[in-house]
Amino acid sequence: MVKAANSRGDAPGTPPPARILVVGGGYVGMYTALGLQRKLRSGEAEITVVTPDPYMTYQPFLPEAAAGSISPRHVVVPLRRVLDRCRIVIGEARRIDHAKRTATVTTLATAEEGTGDIEIAYDELVLAPGSVSRTLPIPGLADYAIGFKTVEEAIGLRNHVIEQMDIASSTRDPAIRDAALTFVFVGGGYAGVEALGELEDMARYAARYYHNVTPEDMKWVLVEASDRILPEVGPEMGTYTVRELRRRNIDVRLETRLDSCENRVAVLSDGSRFPTRTVVWTAGVKPHPVLAASDLPRNERGRLVCTSFLTVEGVEHAWAAGDAAAVPDITAPAPGTECAPNAQHAVRQARRLADNLIAALRDEVLTEYAHKYVGSVASLGLHKGVAHVYGRKLKGYPAWFMHRAYHLSRVPTFNRKMRVLAEWTLSGLFKREIVSLGSLEHPRAEFELAAGGGHRHHPPHPPHPTPPPTPDPPQDSQG
């Protein structure tokens, strides 16, 4: 193991700049680093951001990226451009030894160098690695399912859905056709419902360009373990959403689980069996594994135990927010309530965290994080949506418009706002793009065919298989 170099050459008598390490480049990581670099004085601190990707993904736009309404490159924000005063390290934090103030990191060059992981020393730690998909030990899940948490998965799923329509259009085997046109989504939260709504809408539109595939030929199934979907928008709007989806011939199965998807057959807990080539897993998330590889206190759900000041409880010089942190909600009437792990809290927590960290460096008073939840919006496809904001319930076009307006205001940087707005304007003036670019995932396939001869190699389903599921406690549910 080698140690990363740190420039600490300061003038005699001048206190060295504080070394701030931000683990994670998502909502919290990016907004915290952005707040720090804007408000810290020159030479006051050195900021290092460790992140596995050189960009921040604005996840609420993933369904629209999958539907083709937004270009994939406009769903992400390049960190090096936004955080120009920070040191960006593309890598994965493996361990945190806060007692020694070091983080063990694997970078893209680690394997090439053969020198082992690097250690990054720090004075202040901001731990915001986010979350990962929570999977269950379901037979066939690792082999045939695809997640919906990254832009790569969203675009891969779009390509896959259109590819299945191409297969159904060209096959003479009715069993293959039926499996190709059956799409099973597991999880009735935002990710599952919005992904299903947008992709069904896109596929319905694309069907008009196939001479032998109609919207009625396709089967869309939503599987949810609880008795309702979209709990964030309230029971009334959740019931409306179920009714709206079923009106579009989407099979919504409540209080139902996925038992198996081996051999491309989705078996549900109610006994139903669906031969399918598409299983989309959106049944919740769990804390990032690096939290368990740290010496910081965690709660029973694996999240960091935090104070309302966004410090890690009982530990000095450690901060956290977002999905990784159990932050008390001091605006809630019931004591012990935690802030929901969503983007609405994450962005606001990051700004408060940055201000508090700067205050701590300057020996000033910290401020508690307080934000009353204002509501939720969700898209169900083009011109369709539900919303529950400030006590008002909206559905249909007004809710869809509010969904777009809200997220346009929240997507980072003016550059991204204008690009997204331009794409929405153009998509309203012209027809949808329905082409599949599945070959992007295997760019050498054509050259290998030319160089080696033989037949074109098609990758097994799915284009991006999920990693083997990590066994979770039996009480964890789907949804």
Side-chain angles (χ1 to χ4, degrees):
M1 183 179 293
V2 299
K3 294 202 172 186
N6 286 284
S7 57
R8 304 279 284 172
D10 305 290
T14 303
R19 298 169 299 179
I20 302 174
L21 175 63
V22 179
V23 177
Y27 290 107
V28 174
M30 191 197 79
Y31 277 106
T32 299
L34 188 61
L36 290 171
Q37 76 171 14
R38 283 176 175 172
K39 298 180 181 180
L40 283 168
R41 293 187 285 263
S42 178
E44 193 171 7
E46 299 172 346
I47 308 167
T48 300
V49 180
V50 174
T51 173
D53 299 306
Y55 52 79
M56 187 276 271
T57 302
Y58 191 72
Q59 291 183 333
F61 279 161
L62 289 184
E64 294 211 40
S69 300
I70 301 177
S71 172
R73 67 183 183 278
H74 297 156
V75 178
V76 299
V77 180
L79 294 178
R80 295 188 189 278
R81 176 184 295 177
V82 175
L83 305 178
D84 56 329
R85 291 172 54 194
C86 301
R87 175 191 174 209
I88 307 296
V89 177
I90 305 303
E92 193 81 45
R94 299 296 183 185
R95 289 186 303 279
I96 303 291
D97 189 340
H98 191 64
K100 296 181 179 179
R101 302 287 195 276
T102 60
T104 302
V105 177
T106 300
T107 70
L108 292 176
T110 300
E112 297 289 337
E113 294 172 343
T115 54
D117 297 341
I118 66 171
E119 274 192 359
I120 298 179
Y122 61 83
D123 300 310
E124 300 284 344
L125 172 69
V126 178
L127 198 48
S131 56
V132 297
S133 294
R134 175 176 58 79
T135 57
L136 298 175
I138 296 173
L141 187 68
D143 298 318
Y144 298 111
I146 183 173
F148 198 80
K149 192 167 172 57
T150 68
V151 66
E152 293 86 357
E153 288 175 327
I155 303 309
L157 183 58
R158 167 188 169 81
N159 292 335
H160 173 75
V161 168
I162 297 176
E163 189 177 88
Q164 298 314 300
M165 297 178 70
D166 291 334
I167 291 173
S169 175
S170 57
T171 185
R172 297 180 180 180
D173 188 327
I176 293 178
R177 175 185 171 89
D178 184 60
L181 294 180
T182 301
F183 308 96
V184 179
F185 287 68
V186 184
Y190 276 120
V193 173
E194 290 193 334
L196 171 58
E198 291 283 357
L199 284 165
E200 189 275 340
D201 207 45
M202 182 270 293
R204 178 181 294 271
Y205 176 88
R208 68 180 66 182
Y209 297 102
Y210 290 81
H211 71 282
N212 58 351
V213 175
T214 68
E216 291 71 27
D217 294 331
M218 293 182 275
K219 297 176 187 175
W220 298 83
V221 184
L222 177 63
V223 181
E224 167 56 37
S226 68
D227 60 354
R228 61 175 180 166
I229 63 174
L230 292 181
E232 297 87 353
V233 298
E236 183 181 335
M237 289 294 96
T239 301
Y240 164 79
T241 303
V242 172
R243 190 166 62 247
E244 168 67 16
L245 293 178
R246 286 175 174 166
R247 188 185 65 80
R248 290 159 60 178
N249 292 323
I250 296 172
D251 188 352
V252 180
R253 303 286 181 109
L254 302 178
E255 299 183 277
T256 307
R257 300 171 183 271
L258 176 69
D259 284 345
S260 170
C261 56
E262 283 187 304
N263 302 318
R264 292 182 174 173
V265 177
V267 181
L268 307 186
S269 59
D270 62 3
S272 302
R273 297 172 61 88
F274 293 97
T276 177
R277 298 168 62 90
T278 309
V279 175
V280 183
W281 181 265
T282 64
V285 296
K286 62 182 180 181
H288 194 282
V290 73
L291 301 187
S294 75
D295 53 354
L296 299 172
R298 296 178 296 139
N299 66 7
E300 66 281 357
R301 293 178 176 268
R303 301 168 73 192
L304 295 176
V305 180
C306 293
T307 69
S308 56
F309 299 99
L310 303 174
T311 60
V312 178
E313 194 170 89
V315 180
E316 294 183 342
H317 309 293
W319 311 75
D323 290 357
V327 178
D329 187 353
I330 63 176
T331 67
T337 303
E338 297 175 359
C339 294
N342 56 34
Q344 188 177 139
H345 280 299
V347 172
R348 291 171 172 83
Q349 286 174 358
R351 290 168 179 160
R352 174 56 57 206
L353 193 161
D355 289 343
N356 278 351
L357 203 164
I358 293 172
L361 292 176
R362 298 172 181 173
D363 294 324
E364 298 173 354
V365 177
L366 307 188
T367 305
E368 289 186 294
Y369 170 76
H371 171 68
K372 190 172 182 180
Y373 193 64
V374 299
S376 301
V377 291
S379 170
L380 304 178
L382 191 63
H383 300 161
K384 297 176 280 290
V386 290
H388 188 185
V389 181
Y390 292 112
R392 299 192 62 183
K393 303 179 181 69
L394 299 173
K395 55 189 179 182
Y397 185 89
W400 172 83
F401 182 82
M402 179 174 285
H403 172 270
R404 281 200 162 183
Y406 173 77
H407 286 300
L408 182 65
S409 71
R410 296 300 173 185
V411 68
T413 76
F414 180 77
N415 179 302
R416 283 293 174 274
K417 294 182 197 297
M418 291 300 99
R419 289 179 183 273
V420 169
L421 183 60
E423 287 198 307
W424 281 344
T425 303
L426 291 174
S427 65
L429 296 175
F430 301 101
K431 295 180 180 180
R432 287 189 190 222
E433 295 290 346
I434 58 167
V435 65
S436 167
L437 296 176
S439 59
L440 287 175
E441 291 128 22
H442 298 271
R444 295 189 66 248
E446 188 72 25
F447 182 76
E448 289 173 351
L449 176 66
H455 299 285
R456 187 189 305 274
H457 171 68
H458 288 281
H461 171 78
H464 291 289
T466 56
T470 302
D472 287 328
Q475 64 267 26
D476 283 350
S477 61
Q478 301 166 17

